[in-house]
Structures are given as C-alpha cells and as structure tokens.
C-alpha cells in the first residue's frame, strides 16, 4: 500500500513517503530513552511478585457441583444442607457387575465376595447387598464409604482423597475377573472423581494448546523469525498477572472460581491480548515509515490505537460485569474473572509490548523492515474490491446478508434439549457408562432419587404428603440430623425425563409451607437441580441480556457521538450471534452427536458474541468517523475505513476465533459448545457483518448514520457525488490522508 501523506486537514504539505520533520521527529531525550527499560523492569519486578500467587490459583478453584448451581435455588439449599447431615461427607458409589448373556452363579459369588472385601477395607456403612436386574444380566451394589479420617468434608484435600478412593475401588472391583464379567463403578462419588480428573488436566492442556495456536498464527501473520515472540511474551505475562489478580479476588472477597471460568479467562487473555497486539504492531509499523526514531513512532502509534483499544476492552469488560446480575454461580463468577483477564491484557499490550518493541528497534521486523526511506508498498486491494462490490449494489448486499444470517438463525429451532449428567463428557468416563448400564437394566427405578428434606418435627407428615403426590412411586426416610430428615423419593417416570421433572414440580407445590418460611420442606436432587437450572437460566437471560445491550450501547454512543451508528453495530452483532447459535443447532446433534446443550450456552455466547463481536465494528466505525471528521462524506469514509481496517481486523478475527476454538479440544460438551458458537460468531462478525452489513448500511444511510451528532447536521460534502465514479473504488480521495484513527492501514 502506498504510504499516506498528510491530508490538507493536517495543515502541512505532503512530503515524500509521509515522513515528518522538525520537532515531531526529534531524537528522544535521555529520559525518554530510558522509559522503555524502566517499564520492562517494572513488569519483571511485578511478575516476580505475582507469579507465585498465579501458580496457586488452581488450589482455590472449586468444582464442587454446588458451585455450578443457582445461588438462591431450592435444590442448592438442599445440596448444602446434605453436606451437614450425618454421612454428608461420604463417597456414594454404585458397583455394577454385568455379563451380557446373563450372570452365572459363580459370577454372583465372585461379585458378592469382591464387594464384601471392598466394604470391609473401606469401612462402608451397612452390609452391601446385590440387587439383580429382571433380565439377570446386571448386579447392582449401592456402597457408601466414609469421608477420609480427620478431614473436613468441604476441604480440597478431602476431595482429592475421595477421588483417589474411587480409583482404588475401581481397581479392586475389576481385578482378575473371569472372561465376560465386567465391573463398573458409578454413582455420585464416581462421577465427581471423573469430573475432578478431567478438570485437573484442563488448565495445562488448554494453556499448551492456546500458546501453540497463537504462536503459529503470529508467525504466519508477521512472517518474521523474531517479531511474533514479543506479543507472545507480553500476552503470557498478562495471563500470569490475571491469574494472580483472580487469586487475590478469591482470597479478599471469597469469590467462587471454577476451572471452567479460569479456562475461559485464559482464552480471553490470549485471544483479546493478541488482537490488541496485532492492532498496535500494525500501526507501529506504519509509523516507522514516517518516523526515524522508534520511540517517536511508538508514541504516535499509541496515540492512534489507545482510544479504540480502550473502547474495545471497555465493551468486553462491561458485558462481563453484567454477569454479576446472574443467579447462576458459574455465570456470575465469570464476570470479575473475565474482566480481570481483559484489563490485564490491555495493560500489558499498551505498556510492556510497546516497551519491548521500542527496545528491539525496527530490525525486529526483519526481513520486512519498515523505513522512512523505503519505497511505497503496493496496496492490497482485496478489501477495496469488496468495498466496490458493496457500493455497486448496497441494497442487494444488505438484504442478502440479513436474510442469509436470519436463515441460519432458524437453526436454533433444532438445538438439543437440556444437558444430562450422562452427556456431560465428550468421551463417556466409567461413571457415565455405569449410569447408562443401570438405566437399561433398571428402567423403572432411578439410581439418583429425588431428595426431600423435611424438618425433623414434621417428617412423618411430610412423608405422608410425598407418598400421596402424583407421579411418586415410593418414598422412604433416610438420614436425620441438623434439624432435618432426608426422604428418598422415586418417581414413576424415567430418570431425568420430563415426567420426573413434573413430579419435582408437583412435590414442591404440595410441600410448600403454609407460611412460606424457612421451615418448609425442600425438594432437591439431580432432577430438581436441572429444573432449577432451566428456570434460573431463563431468568438470567431476561436480566443480563438487556443489561449487556444497554452497557455496550452507552459505550458506543460515547465513542461515536451518534445513536444510529451504535444501533447498526448492535443489530449486526446480535444477528451474527443468532446465526452462530443457529449453526450450533445444525451441528451439535447431527454432526457432533451431542444429546443435550447446557442451559448457560445462550447467555454466555450472547455476552461474548456481542462484547467481542462489536470490537470489530468499533474499529471500522471509529475509522469511518475519523475519515468523516477529516472532510470525507460518509460513503467515502465507509469504503476508506473498510479498505484501511480490512487486513489487520481479518487477522485479529481469525486469531480470536482460533483461540476460542481451542475450547473444542477439551473433553467437556459445554466447552465444545461454547467454543464453537463464539468462534463462528466472531468469524461472522469479521467477514460478514463488518465487511458487508455495516458498510452497506453506512452507504445507504449516509450522513443519517451519525444522527444526532454534529456530523449529521453538517451539509453533505461535494465529494459525495463522486464516490464510486472516480479512478478507484472510493473515488478520487482514496489515497489522501494520513491514518487518523486507532486502526492501522494494513496488517
């Protein structure tokens, strides 16, 4: 691309290759020369302090099932009370022995002896008795093992010991069995152990995969053997700092942080941080063609990119903080965690990375070293050609794009139903296989009953009411303690079915306390939790989505001094989110084979889709506004902005989509679904919404795009009549004007 010369608005006459002279490019003073080194040393000192704390984040993460439940839900209260009941710290297991063609007498004897030995070794409560299936192929042994001696049931070390116990029981249960006889260990304790094993490897796996993806993409984008390393180091420092900040939030405010949330934060830091680096480096490279001294070029680059980066990070942070209004613990906890990641990424990319680039000098760009004396580069005309196609048929482009994205959004009608525990993992672990085996062998009886907690003084009355409730097959009292009696309720319908959900609702209606007070009986258990999750996710969507829209709209209005332009941007990103979610409906079941979708996916993908997707609209629209302020009419400004922002934003979109795609490598269905929808949404925003819809809308609205700001009230420039008719796709003014905004001219 030809280097820009100063525009008439700059008040200077053009100079060869756009190089300024005089005080604008004076050699930096001694103090300014030391500033980059001081910044680097400050970051080194900061990293030395925060690194130990960042390394301890995994120790304060909580993946207890209660932390993924709604804060105020009835089933959440039941789960917490159960932890205080006698045996609340037990590890409840289901040992399953199976032979496909029917169990023999020897099989039953071996299973009885093996389970008795396990019960004796781990001091199980009661005497385990096998329950045979009707077809004689399966023996089920419920087993309740005590909590590790001397450990608090809520302690992290206790959870680790409990998980280790599950793995030892599995080894003992399946050792040296006859051919054809298999042993499986399932139940709540086994499911928790399997989940803990998966969560324990997520952080390392995700970090390695993310670093690898970002490294490859940076090398391909920069085509330099050294340059890619500086953004990677900077974003790595940002990630470690963010981990330390989150650790501090946990310790200071008792914030609940899950492995899922820290995984998403890691992706956010690497994805957004790399995007910020791409924008800064591209602008810095342009300025190196105008300034002889790297420090002056970096100062100019920072002045140019900082407003756009602040607006970009502000929209993401504002969207994430809106999650604090969510009642679902895993959603509300993501708000401050993700915000910490975004702010740390912004801080590192606007301080550490600039310092590293200035110290490294212009030679870090080798072999394509930018220089004021270098001849102008040839323009990359891809986005200029795309802009020309928009200008020729803006109505067709806009209508076609809206209809196409709207058609994709219809795929939401094909989204799978609620995600069951058995469908939680992409590759079923042993606990899930055991649950499936039991579901086939005992279709009439759930292995995880509905739990009713009754005040001890009204337990008999509650038991009578429960037994008489429609949909209940049987009910039996269980443990008592802490003022409560636990009642196990078995429904007539299949486990986790809609019929069993109706039974949960009927129980709550029948058991509602007359005074609605704390003494009323409570209904919990896995199916009740699913009911509460559905209700809470619906409530959170109604509250959080409007908050996100309002927060982002306010930031856009403040940045663009317009109401129409922000509404156009928001409409575009909402449409791309709906299309991405619709593609999820077309892929989750038919292609990926998922039988369910986590209820928080629509909300989380909306927050990320709007907050991250609107970034690219910000870069485009901010550049468009700056061009208009420089004297161009809106049509010329729109096409010039598209040409100028095309390469770098395309690169940024690909990087961000690729980092979120890393989530799809994890063995959790919810993370695969989240990564897919966000990655697809980012690509749609980058290549469809920004390129075609926003540009064509600006072309059609013209100066009305800036209503009610000052640009709307000005008379239309004379140049507007020549747009698209001159010797290029943007008319005779396309080559004039130095970059005036936070987005560089090329990647």
């Amino acid at each position: 691309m030809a280097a820009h010369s100063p525009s008439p608005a700059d008040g200077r006459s053009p100079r060869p290759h756009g190089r300024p002279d005089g005080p604008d490019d004076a050699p930096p003073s001694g103090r300014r020369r030391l500033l980059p080194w001081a910044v680097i040393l400050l970051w080194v000192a900061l990293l030395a302090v925060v690194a130990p704390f960042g390394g301890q984040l995994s120790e304060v993460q909580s993946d207890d099932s209660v932390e993924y439940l709604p804060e105020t839900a009835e089933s959440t209260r039941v789960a917490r009370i159960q932890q205080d009941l006698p045996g609340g710290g037990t590890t409840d297991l289901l040992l399953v022995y199976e032979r496909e063609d029917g169990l023999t007498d020897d099989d039953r004897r071996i299973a009885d002896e093996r389970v008795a030995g396990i019960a004796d070794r781990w001091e199980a409560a009661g005497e385990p008795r096998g329950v045979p299936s009707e077809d004689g192929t399966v023996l089920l042994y419920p087993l309740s093992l005590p909590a590790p001696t001397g450990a608090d049931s809520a302690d992290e070390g206790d959870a680790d010991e409990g998980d280790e116990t599950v793995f030892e029981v599995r080894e003992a249960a399946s050792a040296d069995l006859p051919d054809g006889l298999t042993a499986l260990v399932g139940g709540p304790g086994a499911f928790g152990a399997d989940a803990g094993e998966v969560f324990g490897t997520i952080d390392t796996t995700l970090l390695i995969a993310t670093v690898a993806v970002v490294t490859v993409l940076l090398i391909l984008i920069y085509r330099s053997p050294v340059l890619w390393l500086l953004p990677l180091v900077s974003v790595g420092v940002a990630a470690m700092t963010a981990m330390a900040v989150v650790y501090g939030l946990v310790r200071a405010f008792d914030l609940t942080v899950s492995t899922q949330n820290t995984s998403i934060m890691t992706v956010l830091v690497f994805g957004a941080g790399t995007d910020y680096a791409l924008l800064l480096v591209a602008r810095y490279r342009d300025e190196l063609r105008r300034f002889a001294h790297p420090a002056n070029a970096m100062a100019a680059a920072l002045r140019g990119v900082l407003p756009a980066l602040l607006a970009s990070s502000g929209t993401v942070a504002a969207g994430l903080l809106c999650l604090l209004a969510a009642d679902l613990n895993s959603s509300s906890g993501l708000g401050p965690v993700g915000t910490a990641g975004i702010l740390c990424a912004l801080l590192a990319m606007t301080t550490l990375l600039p310092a590293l680039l200035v110290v490294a000098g212009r030679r870090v760009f080798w072999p394509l070293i930018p220089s004021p004396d270098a001849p102008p580069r040839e323009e990359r005309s891809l986005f200029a050609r795309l802009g020309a196609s928009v200008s020729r048929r803006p109505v067709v482009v806009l209508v076609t794009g809206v209809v196409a994205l709207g058609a994709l959004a219809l795929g939401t009608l094909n989204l799978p139903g609620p995600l069951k525990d058995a469908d939680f993992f992409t590759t079923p672990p042993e606990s899930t296989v055991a649950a499936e085996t039991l579901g086939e062998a005992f279709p009439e009886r759930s292995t995880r009953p509905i739990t009713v907690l009754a005040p001890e003084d009204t337990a008999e009355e509650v038991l009578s009411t429960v037994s008489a409730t429609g949909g209940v097959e049987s009910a039996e009292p269980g443990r008592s303690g802490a003022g409560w009696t636990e009642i196990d309720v078995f429904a007539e319908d299949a486990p986790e079915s809609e019929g069993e959900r109706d039974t949960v609702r009927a129980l709550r209606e029948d058991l509602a306390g007359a005074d609605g007070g704390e003494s009323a009986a409570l209904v919990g258990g896995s199916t009740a939790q699913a009911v509460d999750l559905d209700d809470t996710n619906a409530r959170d969507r109604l509250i959080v989505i409007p908050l996100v829209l309002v927060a982002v709209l306010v930031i856009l209005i403040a940045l663009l001094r317009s109401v129409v332009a922000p509404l156009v941007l928001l409409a575009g990103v909402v449409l791309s989110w709906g299309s991405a979610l619709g593609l999820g409906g077309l892929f989750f079941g038919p292609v990926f084979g998922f039988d369910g979708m986590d209820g928080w996916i629509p909300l989380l993908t909306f927050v990320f889709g709007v907050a991250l997707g609107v970034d690219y609209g910000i870069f485009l629209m901010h550049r468009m506004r700056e061009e208009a302020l420089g004297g161009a009419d809106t049509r010329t400004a729109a096409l010039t902005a598209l040409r100028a922002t095309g390469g770098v934003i395309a690169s940024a979109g690909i990087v961000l989509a690729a980092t979120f795609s890393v989530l799809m490598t994890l063995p959790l269905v919810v993370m695969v679904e989240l990564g897919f929808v966000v990655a697809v949404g980012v690509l749609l925003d980058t290549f469809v919404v920004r390129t075609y819809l926003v540009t064509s809308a600006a072309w059609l609205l013209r100066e009305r795009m800036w209503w009610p700001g000052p640009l709307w009230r000005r008379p239309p420039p004379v140049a507007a009549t020549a747009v698209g008719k001159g010797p290029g796709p943007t008319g005779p003014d396309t080559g004039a004007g130095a970059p005036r905004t936070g987005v560089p001219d090329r990647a």
Side-chain angles (χ1 to χ4, degrees):
M1 176 184 292
H4 286 292
S5 59
S7 66
D10 294 324
R12 301 192 302 267
S13 60
R15 301 183 183 279
H17 313 312
R19 176 179 176 178
D21 59 3
D24 289 343
D25 199 21
S29 63
R31 184 174 298 178
R32 283 189 63 193
R33 286 197 298 269
L34 293 177
L35 181 60
W37 288 104
V39 171
I40 293 172
L41 289 176
L42 282 174
W43 272 103
V44 170
L46 177 64
L47 190 62
V49 173
V50 304
F53 297 105
Q56 296 178 53
L57 179 58
S58 60
E59 299 177 7
V60 297
Q61 290 173 180
S62 176
D63 292 308
D64 191 291
S65 60
V66 175
E67 307 305 338
Y68 290 88
L69 297 176
E71 179 64 28
T72 61
E74 186 172 323
S75 60
T76 306
R77 189 174 173 217
V78 170
R80 287 175 173 155
I81 292 174
Q82 284 181 305
Q83 294 176 343
D84 296 329
L85 293 176
T90 60
T91 302
D92 296 323
L93 303 177
L94 299 173
L95 275 64
V96 182
Y97 284 87
E98 179 187 27
R99 185 182 290 274
E100 292 185 358
D101 56 355
L103 294 166
T104 66
D105 291 339
D106 284 342
D107 291 338
R108 296 185 182 90
R109 177 183 55 79
I110 292 172
D112 287 341
E113 292 176 354
R114 190 66 55 86
V115 173
I118 292 172
D120 182 62
R121 176 180 172 184
W122 278 281
E123 300 179 350
E127 182 180 349
R129 296 182 179 179
V131 180
S133 62
E134 289 187 2
D135 61 4
T137 61
V138 172
L139 265 177
L140 165 64
Y141 295 85
L143 207 62
S144 183
L145 308 184
T149 304
D152 185 347
S153 63
D155 186 74
E156 184 75 21
D158 181 21
D160 292 340
E161 282 192 56
D163 292 351
E164 187 61 32
T165 297
V166 172
F167 300 134
E168 291 175 356
V169 168
R170 280 178 173 164
E171 184 177 354
S174 59
D176 301 323
L177 293 178
D179 292 340
L181 179 63
T182 59
L184 298 170
V185 178
F191 184 85
D194 288 334
E197 186 176 36
V198 170
F199 284 128
T201 62
I202 279 180
D203 288 340
T204 302
T205 302
L206 186 68
L207 183 61
I208 293 173
T210 305
V211 170
V213 167
V214 171
T215 299
V216 170
L217 289 175
L218 286 175
I219 292 174
L220 292 175
I221 290 169
Y222 289 140
R223 300 187 297 279
S224 168
V226 179
L227 179 58
W228 62 271
L229 189 59
L230 302 187
L232 189 64
V233 168
S234 300
V235 78
V237 171
M240 181 57 70
T241 305
M243 292 178 186
V245 170
V246 173
Y247 176 82
L249 292 175
V250 173
R251 291 302 190 190
F253 302 103
D254 197 26
L255 181 70
T256 299
V257 176
S258 67
T259 302
Q260 284 188 2
N261 288 350
T262 56
S263 300
I264 294 171
M265 183 194 72
T266 299
V267 170
L268 268 177
V269 172
F270 274 86
T274 305
D275 276 7
Y276 301 159
L278 289 171
L279 296 169
L280 174 66
V281 171
R283 181 60 181 264
Y284 175 56
R285 182 174 55 190
D286 282 342
E287 299 297 345
L288 285 173
R289 296 192 177 95
R290 303 178 60 239
F291 291 89
H293 301 285
N296 295 337
M298 180 56 70
L302 282 173
R303 285 194 299 269
V305 301
L306 201 55
L309 293 186
L310 288 174
S312 169
S313 58
T315 57
V316 179
L320 288 169
L321 288 177
C322 289
L323 288 172
L324 288 171
D327 189 45
L328 189 63
N329 288 332
S330 54
S331 295
S332 60
L334 181 58
V337 171
T339 300
I342 286 293
L343 295 182
C344 288
L346 176 69
L347 181 63
M349 294 306 151
T350 55
T351 56
L352 177 59
L353 179 59
L356 292 173
L357 288 168
V358 171
V359 169
R362 65 179 71 243
R363 292 184 181 277
V364 76
F365 289 90
W366 186 87
L368 303 175
I369 301 176
S371 170
D373 300 322
R377 296 178 61 191
E378 291 297 323
E379 179 179 346
R380 298 175 182 175
S381 58
L382 171 61
F383 287 94
R385 292 197 300 270
L386 294 177
S389 67
V390 171
S391 67
R392 285 193 293 269
R393 296 181 180 85
V395 175
V396 173
V397 169
L398 182 60
V399 172
T400 301
V402 170
V403 170
L405 293 179
L408 290 177
L410 293 176
T412 55
L413 300 175
N414 194 49
L415 287 169
L419 187 69
K420 300 177 181 178
D421 286 348
D423 305 322
F424 189 73
F425 302 96
T426 56
T427 301
E430 184 172 324
S431 59
T432 299
V433 176
E436 293 174 348
T437 300
L438 291 174
E440 295 173 358
F442 301 93
E444 75 289 347
R445 186 179 180 88
S446 173
T447 57
R448 301 181 69 176
I450 301 169
T451 299
V452 173
L453 289 181
E456 286 184 324
D457 57 349
T458 62
E460 293 185 6
E461 179 183 346
V462 169
L463 179 60
S464 176
T465 302
V466 166
S467 301
T469 299
V472 172
E473 180 181 289
S474 63
E476 53 193 49
R479 302 173 294 175
S480 292
W484 296 91
T485 295
E486 183 181 76
I487 300 172
D488 292 332
V489 182
F490 295 92
E492 296 174 350
D493 294 282
E496 296 187 86
S497 65
E498 191 57 37
E500 191 178 40
R501 290 178 175 226
D502 290 338
T503 302
V504 168
R505 298 184 183 100
L507 283 168
R508 285 179 170 172
E509 184 176 348
D510 291 349
L511 293 172
D515 57 357
E518 293 293 317
S519 62
L522 304 172
V523 180
S526 59
T527 301
Q529 291 170 2
V531 171
D532 289 339
L533 283 170
D534 288 347
D535 294 342
T536 300
N537 281 316
R539 173 261 181 201
D540 287 350
R541 287 194 294 270
L542 289 175
I543 293 177
V544 175
I545 286 178
L547 285 176
V548 172
L549 291 174
V550 170
V552 173
L553 183 62
V554 169
I555 292 174
L556 291 177
I557 290 175
L559 175 70
L560 301 175
R561 307 293 194 274
S562 166
V563 172
V564 174
L567 290 175
V568 169
L569 291 182
L570 275 183
V573 295
V574 170
L575 184 58
S576 66
W577 164 75
S579 303
L581 193 61
L583 283 170
L586 300 177
F587 276 78
F588 290 163
V591 179
F592 298 156
F594 296 158
D595 294 324
M597 185 185 76
D598 196 290
W600 77 331
I601 291 297
L603 177 62
L604 263 291
T605 54
F606 181 86
V607 172
F608 287 124
V610 171
L612 295 172
V614 82
D615 282 359
Y616 304 125
I618 286 175
F619 301 141
L620 175 70
M621 197 68 75
H622 190 221
R623 176 60 187 260
M624 191 187 307
R625 183 174 185 275
E626 293 298 318
E627 292 290 335
L629 289 173
D633 67 281
T634 299
R635 288 185 168 181
T636 300
L639 300 186
T640 302
L642 177 61
R643 171 182 55 78
T645 63
V648 67
I649 296 182
S651 300
I654 291 172
V655 168
L656 188 61
T659 52
F660 267 93
S661 296
V662 172
L663 292 175
M664 298 176 64
T665 65
L666 300 179
L668 303 175
V669 169
V670 61
M671 301 302 270
V672 175
E673 293 171 342
L674 177 66
F676 176 87
V677 175
V678 175
V680 170
V682 166
L683 293 177
L684 289 174
D685 284 321
T686 304
F687 295 103
V688 178
V689 173
R690 178 184 64 98
T691 303
Y692 292 107
L693 301 192
V694 174
T695 304
S696 60
W699 182 275
L700 294 171
L701 290 171
R702 302 183 72 167
E703 268 54 46
R704 290 185 294 272
M705 193 76 165
W706 310 114
W707 182 89
L711 287 174
W712 167 71
R713 292 191 294 268
R714 72 176 184 179
V718 177
T721 60
V723 174
K725 298 179 181 179
T730 60
D733 294 334
T734 54
R740 293 186 292 273
T741 173
V743 182
D745 274 3
R746 50 193 172 275

